[in-house]
Amino acid sequence: MTKIKIGQVGLGRLGQVHASNIVNHVKNAELYAVASVVDAELAYAKDQLGVQHCYKSYNEMIGNDELDAVVIVSPSGFHAVQITQALEKGLHVFSEKPIGLELEHIKQVVTEIDKHPDKVFQLGFMRRFDESYLYAKEAVDNGDLGKITAMRCYGIDPSAGLDSFIQFAKNSASGGIFLDMSIHDIDLVRWFTGSEFKSVYSLGNNIAAPELSDCEELETGACLSELEDGTIAYFLAGRNAQHGYHVETEIIGTEGMIRIGNAPEKNLVTLYDKNGVVRPTSGHFPERFKFAFVNELNTFVNSIQNKEQSTITGVDGLKSTEVAIAMQESFESKQIIKL
Amino acid sequence: MTKIKIGQVGLGRLGQVHASNIVNHVKNAELYAVASVVDAELAYAKDQLGVQHCYKSYNEMIGNDELDAVVIVSPSGFHAVQITQALEKGLHVFSEKPIGLELEHIKQVVTEIDKHPDKVFQLGFMRRFDESYLYAKEAVDNGDLGKITAMRCYGIDPSAGLDSFIQFAKNSASGGIFLDMSIHDIDLVRWFTGSEFKSVYSLGNNIAAPELSDCEELETGACLSELEDGTIAYFLAGRNAQHGYHVETEIIGTEGMIRIGNAPEKNLVTLYDKNGVVRPTSGHFPERFKFAFVNELNTFVNSIQNKEQSTITGVDGLKSTEVAIAMQESFESKQIIKL
Amino acid sequence: MTKIKIGQVGLGRLGQVHASNIVNHVKNAELYAVASVVDAELAYAKDQLGVQHCYKSYNEMIGNDELDAVVIVSPSGFHAVQITQALEKGLHVFSEKPIGLELEHIKQVVTEIDKHPDKVFQLGFMRRFDESYLYAKEAVDNGDLGKITAMRCYGIDPSAGLDSFIQFAKNSASGGIFLDMSIHDIDLVRWFTGSEFKSVYSLGNNIAAPELSDCEELETGACLSELEDGTIAYFLAGRNAQHGYHVETEIIGTEGMIRIGNAPEKNLVTLYDKNGVVRPTSGHFPERFKFAFVNELNTFVNSIQNKEQSTITGVDGLKSTEVAIAMQESFESKQIIKL
Amino acid sequence: MTKIKIGQVGLGRLGQVHASNIVNHVKNAELYAVASVVDAELAYAKDQLGVQHCYKSYNEMIGNDELDAVVIVSPSGFHAVQITQALEKGLHVFSEKPIGLELEHIKQVVTEIDKHPDKVFQLGFMRRFDESYLYAKEAVDNGDLGKITAMRCYGIDPSAGLDSFIQFAKNSASGGIFLDMSIHDIDLVRWFTGSEFKSVYSLGNNIAAPELSDCEELETGACLSELEDGTIAYFLAGRNAQHGYHVETEIIGTEGMIRIGNAPEKNLVTLYDKNGVVRPTSGHFPERFKFAFVNELNTFVNSIQNKEQSTITGVDGLKSTEVAIAMQESFESKQIIKL
């Protein structure tokens, strides 16, 4: 079977995770080309990963007829256009979330995706590929928990990154904490329940980082929502977990409850020392979702080879974004927002 | 030091816990008298606990001049009157929550309490006397967690009691899940933060017990609230925890996070069997708060002997009830309620 | 029912635990008298606990005809004589372990106990009264674990006490780490298996406290033993647990495994901070076995009142001591010792 | 960089793990050839993994001049000869443990390895490549635990495999439980302490599988040993863990204690159901050491490419085997064995 030739755009932190995974862990693919406006990133791809076709322009890269697929890890503002261009060139597309910054753009992209049913489009909701989430999904689908009554989703970034976020926020817009962080959780709730959101009500504060108020950003955001099937879902997003990277999902069902990442244990080590009995924890997303990132790209490549569509569609991106935007709007208006 | 002579009204499930504790674990007190309209309960007090003065009427009991104090564990509807009568008789009062069913009554009782500053009044918020909560409170007061940014409070009754609650609900009003269950959590949030509630927004469902909808009761209730100091507090109350009695409180601070009862471990046993690695769990509130119930009554008795006032006041009962009522009102009106 | 009048000898650390429990938590008993050669200890009993009969001499104390029972918490060297004298005076006896320092003395005491079948004799193996051990015992007796194949017993004192033990060891003999510490574990193995020891083989080192070698003491002792029913039992005793007081018992059976105290959690608090996910731990034996100490004395008093014999007999003390002495002998001779 | 061409002999359970890893996860290597006497295994390699050179004879396979290295996963009795032949052909060698069944043969192989210092020889002690073990090793090497005083090593196979082991044992010799299972633990103790074994004393029983006694095999084996530096090491090997595959290593140091695999959690899921609070567990070694198996082969291939020697040498295999044989001899002779 010939290897899928991938061109990747964007080689920042997450971009390097993907690029390195393609080179080292996605057997059926080849990192054929990369594009970046940052010289150091191109040098990294060439020197560290041995990528032979390095472009300063995305358009030039997708002009290379050898390519089968693109992996889009550029800044969010470019996603919509780059997805569209790639599809028009006849390329399969893996894109990081979000599909776009404006709902209107996302809808146009979804229309574009629909026009290319023979091209695989997969959105980077990597948590769906994490072994713990897959285990929980299977339990839920088996009916082990009965019917779902309530969910709780925490996504709290490590304190170690708070200062750099504050610097970022002074000059850039993240889209707000719900769009920036809760979108993964929104997708999980839709995935686990198979239901859509009916209403959201959000709160937020900056007790841990008062500077963020000046940037119209939040350190902590919270949202209580209801789904169409009656499930209650609570979201907490934060930027200041002292113990590391805390992503936790709870599913309460009529027959039992599951927590994924109740404690984000780094490994199977337990330390008994003067602090007590300690489980070391995951420090950041590349560590916590190390294998999920590999699995999602293997799945993308396998879908291409097996001519199957992805299970994470453009609509998933659209719906999650709609909910995240409503959450932000609720916080700003102090109103319950109906969807 | 002479023992405090206690008269207790009500000998239901919780009443028996208190009565037995007074007899067996509160060294400085004596269960001098009991009152109950149920003959079997009086027989229990006489035969099992050796109580010598057993009354069918509360009024008769508090007419006994030997009494120093009353412990009120009667149905909620009687609390307001019984507290007032006891204070007027010059008795110290320990009362189970709530102080009353109507805010107006509670306010009158608080006024009455204020008129008797030399009488100890203590409300039965036993969680404040649990060793895990005390440990967490000390950590918070020491500043170990920095400033509090968010809290989460779960109170989920065991599935084992769901059927009997459904039967109860067909004939009686619990006051709603927030008044019935979340009131303990509301008190904890006020205790940990030292702040008052600003707004509440509630949801609820009966996916696990559809019959409850006919009784205007909830199996699951949830509420997202904001405190005056900006703290975000989330509440989940339920009646269907398959693993037992799940009371959990989370305090997120700028310097760390604490969870009390993340798993309600029954003891220090871990079982490794075909189910996996299993921690057995507490089955019900008398087990989970066994020592808290003892501690609260010892504290009440010690306060009397040391002529100190209780730290859990009538105002605590009033404020918690106001919030719980607002939570219920929010659920019913589907509106955000300001306090 | 009249209260059992107890006279206690010895008011050191453990003595104060017992005395305080009798006063505060053993409803059916009264701490009628105490004896100690230390004036400060008598002052403590009188002032803090309100004991009215305080003696400088044990003999004088047991001469008081009002006494029903004695609680012996004196230095180990006095136990054998004091037990014998109390039994001869017609008193019920609760004694801390060991019954005596020499096997010959213990055997004489056992003979003496046998001569007074109407007197309750109970040895201070408090772990049998701990709720976690009781839970495990019930599981084992129910057959939940099938047949026992192996056990593991850890008893590690907190580092906080190491220096004071080193000072103690310079002037006094503890009897060796196995007699001093493992004797509780030996009793547990006999209790859980219902079988007797066949052979022991011990090792030891002082890597953590080289000074102890000069005192012929061990910081760490280990023993591999076989029981008559084929069960393998491993023991580790130590004096240097940085995380607190680590008593752990593992029971491996053909159908499952139980660990009691896998982590000696102090309470239900979990702390998420810069160290990771932390469970605070018990700091010392009075904390870890707080309720077991109460339960054992309540059981002693109830046995007296109900005219039942104790389930922890003199023979249990004799057998455990024989095994502990063999463990020490094995370490010294570097030989396997048969029992 | 050209890929390392690997020829693998043996495609049983572990063989398939290695072969699949080479194909899918070892980017710098190619599974160029396989050898097996079992037709179905060759068919698997050809059809599932796309291996092009499939041999019924090891000698024929290593006659293929294209090969760079061999991976030996054949039955233990063939290892010594196959390692020697491969080295003589100028091939790098990765071999599963043990190097050989007889100490004499192992010593000859070690001599042979020494003669080929330019060839990488790596023994399959995969646990050294597990992320939890690596984390613990770094902590130990950093001095986080101070000096090591005692270790404990458990290796308990899942009950699910007990019947098939009994069938195996009726016809074949495993070499005994210590050589079969504890050898990994022995290697870990040598790795963590940097010290060699001084004495061993073993026990064993077949309470869980009496049939094994007829085969001169053990279901449970235990050994207490002393190292030259004074460290005490306890080993438990078993074949009947109801909860799955239990490999646990404990390192007690003067400054703290580490447990690796205290509970062999399968993932980050916690289940709260009628059994209590449950962590699902790893079911077997391919699951538990999934990534360690990948890491060890990547390390082997990288060593070849970087012209570095392996850190797991023939001497490691020799020493571990010597200790395992002594453990078995101790069990059979009921004597302490000095090394």
Side-chain angles (χ1 to χ4, degrees):
Chain A
M1 206 171 262
T2 42
K3 292 196 172 189
I4 300 302
K5 288 196 175 70
I6 292 177
Q8 178 177 314
V9 58
L11 286 158
R13 190 180 185 194
L14 179 53
Q16 295 189 14
V17 170
H18 283 316
S20 165
N21 282 341
I22 296 168
V23 171
N24 294 305
H25 298 292
V26 183
K27 199 80 181 191
N28 296 331
E30 181 184 352
L31 186 55
Y32 186 81
V34 294
S36 171
V37 293
V38 182
D39 286 340
E41 292 182 1
L42 295 177
Y44 159 82
K46 194 177 169 194
D47 300 344
Q48 304 292 314
L49 302 177
V51 179
Q52 296 189 356
H53 306 86
C54 298
Y55 298 91
K56 296 208 71 162
S57 140
Y58 176 73
N59 276 327
E60 263 185 77
M61 181 180 80
I62 61 173
N64 187 320
D65 289 342
E66 290 295 313
L67 282 189
D68 297 306
V70 289
V71 166
I72 299 175
V73 208
S74 53
S76 302
F78 296 98
H79 294 182
V81 169
Q82 291 176 341
I83 295 168
T84 305
Q85 290 174 328
L87 288 169
E88 286 170 349
K89 280 277 181 188
L91 296 168
H92 303 283
V93 177
F94 174 95
S95 175
E96 273 306 312
K97 57 90 193 164
I99 290 176
L101 295 181
E102 307 286 329
L103 278 182
E104 211 41 58
H105 295 168
I106 298 176
K107 286 176 185 166
Q108 289 164 8
V109 173
V110 170
T111 305
E112 198 65 33
I113 292 167
D114 286 347
K115 286 191 202 151
H116 298 84
D118 57 325
K119 295 299 151 195
V120 176
F121 173 82
Q122 184 178 323
L123 199 61
F125 285 143
M126 79 291 184
R127 294 189 195 171
R128 294 202 196 184
F129 296 92
D130 172 72
E131 59 181 353
S132 298
Y133 281 96
L134 288 167
Y135 182 92
K137 185 64 160 71
E138 194 179 334
V140 167
D141 290 351
N142 282 348
D144 295 356
L145 302 189
K147 287 185 192 169
I148 296 177
T149 61
M151 287 189 65
R152 175 172 60 88
C153 301
Y154 276 25
I156 316 179
D157 275 350
S159 303
L162 181 55
D163 280 347
S164 87
F165 179 76
I166 292 171
Q167 292 313 312
F168 166 86
K170 285 179 181 165
N171 303 303
S172 322
S174 76
I177 198 165
F178 301 105
L179 205 60
D180 188 30
M181 298 185 61
S182 301
I183 191 166
H184 282 289
D185 293 315
I186 296 166
D187 179 62
L188 288 176
V189 169
R190 293 181 63 253
W191 189 48
F192 276 108
T193 62
S195 183
E196 299 295 342
F197 282 72
K198 201 164 97 182
S199 69
V200 297
Y201 170 65
S202 305
L203 294 173
N205 70 44
N206 281 320
I207 295 170
E211 313 88 306
L212 287 178
S213 297
D214 301 331
C215 318
E216 298 191 346
E217 288 283 358
L218 288 172
E219 182 280 317
T220 294
C223 178
L224 180 60
S225 65
E226 189 170 20
L227 277 82
E228 285 173 3
D229 68 0
T231 301
I232 293 165
Y234 176 60
F235 297 83
L236 185 88
R239 305 186 183 280
N240 185 39
Q242 296 288 347
H243 59 288
Y245 177 61
H246 192 101
V247 168
E248 179 181 0
T249 304
E250 176 183 276
I251 307 154
I252 304 182
T254 53
E255 300 299 329
M257 174 166 109
I258 270 185
R259 289 186 181 174
I260 304 146
N262 186 4
E265 294 112 357
K266 189 193 256 314
N267 50 38
L268 292 177
V269 169
T270 305
L271 185 60
Y272 296 65
D273 68 10
K274 62 188 192 319
N275 296 305
V277 176
V278 184
R279 294 297 300 260
T281 42
S282 285
H284 40 63
F285 73 84
E287 178 182 6
R288 170 64 186 86
F289 289 109
K290 183 175 175 185
F291 302 110
F293 285 122
V294 172
N295 289 349
E296 70 173 354
L297 283 181
N298 269 310
T299 301
F300 174 62
V301 166
N302 291 344
S303 296
I304 296 171
Q305 291 190 320
N306 300 333
K307 299 189 191 304
E308 295 166 355
Q309 250 308 342
S310 157
T311 54
I312 308 185
T313 67
V315 174
D316 290 319
L318 175 62
K319 294 279 188 184
S320 300
T321 305
E322 283 175 345
V323 176
I325 287 173
M327 286 179 177
Q328 181 68 24
E329 193 185 329
S330 171
F331 169 71
E332 290 170 6
S333 67
K334 299 184 184 301
Q335 301 293 324
I336 305 157
I337 305 289
K338 312 277 178 196
L339 283 129
Chain B
M1 207 171 261
T2 41
K3 293 196 174 190
I4 301 302
K5 289 196 175 71
I6 292 177
Q8 177 177 317
V9 58
L11 287 159
R13 189 178 185 197
L14 178 53
Q16 296 189 12
V17 170
H18 283 316
S20 165
N21 282 341
I22 295 168
V23 171
N24 294 304
H25 298 292
V26 182
K27 199 80 181 191
N28 296 330
E30 180 183 352
L31 186 54
Y32 185 82
V34 294
S36 171
V37 293
V38 182
D39 286 340
E41 292 182 1
L42 294 178
Y44 160 82
K46 194 178 170 193
D47 300 344
Q48 305 292 314
L49 302 177
V51 180
Q52 297 189 355
H53 305 86
C54 298
Y55 298 91
K56 297 208 72 162
S57 140
Y58 176 73
N59 275 326
E60 263 185 76
M61 180 179 81
I62 61 173
N64 187 319
D65 289 343
E66 291 294 313
L67 282 190
D68 297 305
V70 290
V71 165
I72 299 175
V73 208
S74 53
S76 302
F78 296 98
H79 293 182
V81 169
Q82 291 176 340
I83 295 168
T84 304
Q85 291 174 328
L87 289 169
E88 286 170 350
K89 281 275 181 190
L91 297 168
H92 303 282
V93 177
F94 175 94
S95 175
E96 273 306 311
K97 57 90 192 164
I99 290 176
L101 295 182
E102 307 286 330
L103 277 182
E104 210 42 57
H105 295 168
I106 298 177
K107 284 176 188 167
Q108 289 165 7
V109 174
V110 169
T111 306
E112 198 65 32
I113 292 168
D114 286 347
K115 285 190 203 152
H116 297 86
D118 56 327
K119 296 298 151 195
V120 176
F121 174 82
Q122 185 177 324
L123 198 61
F125 285 143
M126 80 290 187
R127 294 189 195 170
R128 293 202 195 184
F129 296 93
D130 172 73
E131 59 181 353
S132 298
Y133 281 96
L134 288 168
Y135 183 91
K137 184 63 161 70
E138 194 179 336
V140 167
D141 289 351
N142 281 349
D144 295 356
L145 302 189
K147 288 184 193 170
I148 297 177
T149 61
M151 288 189 63
R152 174 172 61 88
C153 301
Y154 277 25
I156 316 180
D157 275 351
S159 304
L162 181 55
D163 280 347
S164 85
F165 178 77
I166 292 171
Q167 292 313 312
F168 166 86
K170 285 179 180 164
N171 304 303
S172 322
S174 76
I177 198 165
F178 301 106
L179 205 60
D180 188 31
M181 298 185 62
S182 301
I183 192 166
H184 282 289
D185 294 314
I186 294 165
D187 179 62
L188 289 176
V189 169
R190 293 181 64 252
W191 188 49
F192 276 108
T193 62
S195 183
E196 299 295 343
F197 282 72
K198 202 163 97 182
S199 69
V200 297
Y201 171 65
S202 306
L203 294 173
N205 70 43
N206 281 319
I207 296 170
E211 312 89 305
L212 288 178
S213 297
D214 300 332
C215 318
E216 298 191 347
E217 288 284 356
L218 288 173
E219 182 279 317
T220 294
C223 178
L224 180 59
S225 65
E226 189 170 19
L227 276 82
E228 285 173 3
D229 68 359
T231 300
I232 294 165
Y234 176 61
F235 297 83
L236 185 87
R239 305 186 183 280
N240 185 38
Q242 297 286 347
H243 58 287
Y245 177 61
H246 191 101
V247 167
E248 179 180 1
T249 305
E250 176 184 275
I251 307 153
I252 304 183
T254 53
E255 300 300 328
M257 175 165 109
I258 270 185
R259 289 188 182 173
I260 304 146
N262 187 3
E265 294 112 357
K266 188 192 259 312
N267 51 37
L268 292 177
V269 169
T270 306
L271 184 60
Y272 297 66
D273 68 10
K274 61 188 194 317
N275 296 305
V277 176
V278 183
R279 294 296 299 260
T281 43
S282 285
H284 40 64
F285 73 83
E287 178 183 7
R288 169 64 185 86
F289 290 110
K290 183 176 175 184
F291 302 109
F293 285 122
V294 172
N295 288 348
E296 71 174 352
L297 282 181
N298 269 309
T299 301
F300 174 62
V301 167
N302 292 343
S303 295
I304 296 171
Q305 291 190 320
N306 300 332
K307 299 189 190 304
E308 294 166 355
Q309 251 307 342
S310 157
T311 54
I312 308 185
T313 67
V315 174
D316 290 318
L318 175 62
K319 293 281 187 184
S320 299
T321 306
E322 283 175 345
V323 177
I325 288 173
M327 287 179 176
Q328 181 68 23
E329 192 185 332
S330 171
F331 169 70
E332 289 170 8
S333 67
K334 300 183 182 302
Q335 300 293 324
I336 305 158
I337 305 290
K338 312 278 179 197
L339 282 127
Chain C
M1 206 169 261
T2 41
K3 292 197 174 190
I4 301 302
K5 289 196 174 70
I6 292 177
Q8 178 177 316
V9 59
L11 286 158
R13 188 179 187 197
L14 179 53
Q16 295 189 12
V17 169
H18 284 315
S20 165
N21 281 341
I22 295 167
V23 171
N24 294 305
H25 299 292
V26 181
K27 199 80 180 190
N28 296 331
E30 180 184 352
L31 186 55
Y32 185 82
V34 294
S36 170
V37 294
V38 181
D39 286 339
E41 292 182 1
L42 294 179
Y44 160 82
K46 193 177 170 193
D47 300 343
Q48 304 293 313
L49 303 177
V51 180
Q52 297 189 356
H53 305 87
C54 298
Y55 298 91
K56 297 209 71 163
S57 141
Y58 176 73
N59 275 326
E60 265 185 76
M61 180 179 80
I62 61 173
N64 188 320
D65 289 342
E66 291 294 313
L67 283 189
D68 296 306
V70 290
V71 165
I72 299 175
V73 208
S74 53
S76 302
F78 296 98
H79 294 181
V81 169
Q82 291 177 340
I83 295 168
T84 305
Q85 291 175 328
L87 289 169
E88 286 171 350
K89 280 277 182 188
L91 297 168
H92 303 283
V93 177
F94 175 93
S95 175
E96 273 306 311
K97 58 89 193 165
I99 291 177
L101 295 182
E102 306 287 328
L103 278 182
E104 210 42 55
H105 295 165
I106 298 176
K107 284 176 187 168
Q108 288 164 8
V109 174
V110 169
T111 305
E112 198 65 32
I113 292 167
D114 286 347
K115 284 190 205 155
H116 298 85
D118 57 326
K119 296 299 151 194
V120 175
F121 173 82
Q122 185 178 324
L123 198 61
F125 285 142
M126 80 290 186
R127 294 188 195 170
R128 293 201 194 185
F129 296 93
D130 172 73
E131 59 182 353
S132 298
Y133 281 96
L134 288 167
Y135 183 91
K137 184 64 160 70
E138 194 179 335
V140 167
D141 289 351
N142 281 349
D144 295 357
L145 302 189
K147 288 185 192 169
I148 296 177
T149 61
M151 287 188 66
R152 175 172 61 88
C153 301
Y154 276 25
I156 316 181
D157 275 350
S159 304
L162 181 54
D163 280 347
S164 87
F165 178 77
I166 292 171
Q167 292 313 311
F168 167 85
K170 284 180 180 163
N171 303 303
S172 322
S174 75
I177 198 165
F178 301 106
L179 206 59
D180 189 30
M181 298 185 62
S182 301
I183 192 165
H184 282 290
D185 294 314
I186 295 166
D187 179 62
L188 288 176
V189 169
R190 293 181 64 253
W191 188 49
F192 276 108
T193 63
S195 182
E196 300 295 342
F197 281 73
K198 200 164 98 182
S199 69
V200 296
Y201 171 65
S202 306
L203 294 173
N205 70 44
N206 280 319
I207 294 170
E211 315 86 308
L212 287 178
S213 297
D214 300 332
C215 319
E216 297 191 347
E217 287 284 358
L218 288 172
E219 181 280 317
T220 294
C223 178
L224 180 59
S225 65
E226 191 171 19
L227 276 83
E228 283 174 4
D229 68 358
T231 301
I232 293 165
Y234 176 61
F235 298 83
L236 186 88
R239 305 185 183 281
N240 185 39
Q242 296 287 345
H243 58 288
Y245 177 60
H246 192 100
V247 167
E248 179 180 1
T249 304
E250 175 184 276
I251 306 154
I252 305 182
T254 53
E255 300 300 328
M257 177 164 108
I258 269 184
R259 289 187 182 174
I260 304 146
N262 187 4
E265 294 112 357
K266 188 193 258 314
N267 49 38
L268 292 177
V269 170
T270 306
L271 184 60
Y272 296 66
D273 68 10
K274 62 187 193 319
N275 296 305
V277 177
V278 184
R279 294 296 299 261
T281 43
S282 285
H284 40 64
F285 72 84
E287 179 182 7
R288 170 65 186 86
F289 290 108
K290 184 176 175 185
F291 302 109
F293 285 123
V294 172
N295 289 347
E296 70 175 351
L297 283 181
N298 269 309
T299 300
F300 174 63
V301 167
N302 291 344
S303 296
I304 295 171
Q305 292 189 319
N306 300 332
K307 300 190 189 304
E308 294 166 354
Q309 251 307 342
S310 157
T311 54
I312 308 185
T313 67
V315 173
D316 290 319
L318 175 62
K319 293 281 187 184
S320 299
T321 306
E322 283 175 345
V323 176
I325 287 173
M327 287 179 176
Q328 182 67 23
E329 193 185 331
S330 171
F331 169 70
E332 290 171 6
S333 67
K334 299 182 183 303
Q335 300 293 324
I336 305 156
I337 305 290
K338 313 277 179 196
L339 282 128
Chain D
M1 207 171 260
T2 41
K3 292 197 172 189
I4 301 301
K5 289 195 175 71
I6 291 177
Q8 178 177 314
V9 59
L11 287 159
R13 188 179 186 197
L14 178 53
Q16 295 188 12
V17 170
H18 284 315
S20 165
N21 281 341
I22 295 168
V23 170
N24 294 306
H25 299 293
V26 183
K27 198 81 180 191
N28 296 330
E30 181 184 352
L31 186 56
Y32 186 82
V34 294
S36 170
V37 293
V38 181
D39 287 341
E41 292 182 1
L42 293 179
Y44 160 83
K46 195 176 168 193
D47 301 343
Q48 304 291 315
L49 302 177
V51 180
Q52 297 188 355
H53 305 85
C54 298
Y55 298 92
K56 297 208 68 161
S57 140
Y58 176 73
N59 275 325
E60 264 185 74
M61 180 179 81
I62 62 173
N64 187 320
D65 290 342
E66 290 294 313
L67 283 189
D68 296 307
V70 289
V71 165
I72 299 175
V73 207
S74 53
S76 302
F78 296 99
H79 294 181
V81 169
Q82 290 176 341
I83 295 169
T84 305
Q85 290 175 329
L87 289 169
E88 286 170 350
K89 280 278 181 190
L91 296 167
H92 303 282
V93 176
F94 174 93
S95 175
E96 273 307 311
K97 58 91 192 164
I99 290 176
L101 295 182
E102 307 285 329
L103 278 183
E104 210 41 57
H105 295 167
I106 298 176
K107 285 176 185 167
Q108 288 165 10
V109 173
V110 170
T111 305
E112 197 65 33
I113 292 167
D114 286 347
K115 285 191 203 153
H116 298 84
D118 57 326
K119 295 299 151 194
V120 175
F121 173 83
Q122 185 178 323
L123 198 61
F125 285 142
M126 80 290 186
R127 293 188 195 171
R128 293 201 196 185
F129 296 92
D130 172 73
E131 59 181 353
S132 298
Y133 281 97
L134 288 167
Y135 182 91
K137 184 63 160 72
E138 194 178 334
V140 168
D141 290 352
N142 282 350
D144 295 356
L145 302 189
K147 289 185 192 168
I148 296 176
T149 61
M151 287 188 66
R152 174 172 61 88
C153 300
Y154 277 24
I156 316 181
D157 275 351
S159 304
L162 181 55
D163 280 347
S164 86
F165 178 76
I166 292 171
Q167 292 312 311
F168 166 85
K170 285 180 179 162
N171 303 304
S172 322
S174 76
I177 197 165
F178 302 105
L179 206 60
D180 189 29
M181 298 185 61
S182 301
I183 192 165
H184 282 290
D185 294 313
I186 295 165
D187 180 61
L188 288 176
V189 170
R190 293 181 64 252
W191 188 47
F192 275 108
T193 62
S195 183
E196 300 294 344
F197 282 73
K198 202 165 96 182
S199 69
V200 297
Y201 171 65
S202 306
L203 293 173
N205 70 44
N206 280 320
I207 295 169
E211 314 88 306
L212 287 178
S213 297
D214 300 332
C215 319
E216 298 190 347
E217 287 284 357
L218 288 173
E219 182 280 317
T220 294
C223 178
L224 180 60
S225 65
E226 190 171 20
L227 276 82
E228 284 173 4
D229 68 359
T231 301
I232 294 164
Y234 176 61
F235 298 84
L236 185 87
R239 305 185 183 282
N240 185 39
Q242 296 287 347
H243 58 287
Y245 177 61
H246 192 100
V247 168
E248 178 180 1
T249 305
E250 176 184 277
I251 307 154
I252 304 182
T254 53
E255 300 300 327
M257 176 165 110
I258 270 185
R259 289 187 182 174
I260 305 146
N262 187 3
E265 293 113 357
K266 188 193 258 313
N267 49 39
L268 292 177
V269 169
T270 305
L271 184 60
Y272 296 65
D273 68 10
K274 61 186 192 319
N275 296 305
V277 177
V278 184
R279 295 296 300 260
T281 43
S282 286
H284 39 63
F285 72 84
E287 178 182 6
R288 169 65 185 86
F289 289 109
K290 183 176 176 185
F291 302 109
F293 285 122
V294 171
N295 288 349
E296 71 173 352
L297 284 180
N298 269 311
T299 300
F300 174 63
V301 166
N302 291 344
S303 296
I304 295 171
Q305 291 190 320
N306 300 332
K307 299 190 191 304
E308 294 166 355
Q309 250 307 342
S310 156
T311 54
I312 307 184
T313 66
V315 173
D316 290 319
L318 175 61
K319 293 281 188 184
S320 299
T321 306
E322 283 175 345
V323 176
I325 288 173
M327 287 179 176
Q328 182 68 23
E329 192 184 331
S330 171
F331 170 70
E332 289 170 6
S333 68
K334 299 181 184 303
Q335 301 293 324
I336 306 157
I337 305 290
K338 313 277 179 195
L339 283 127

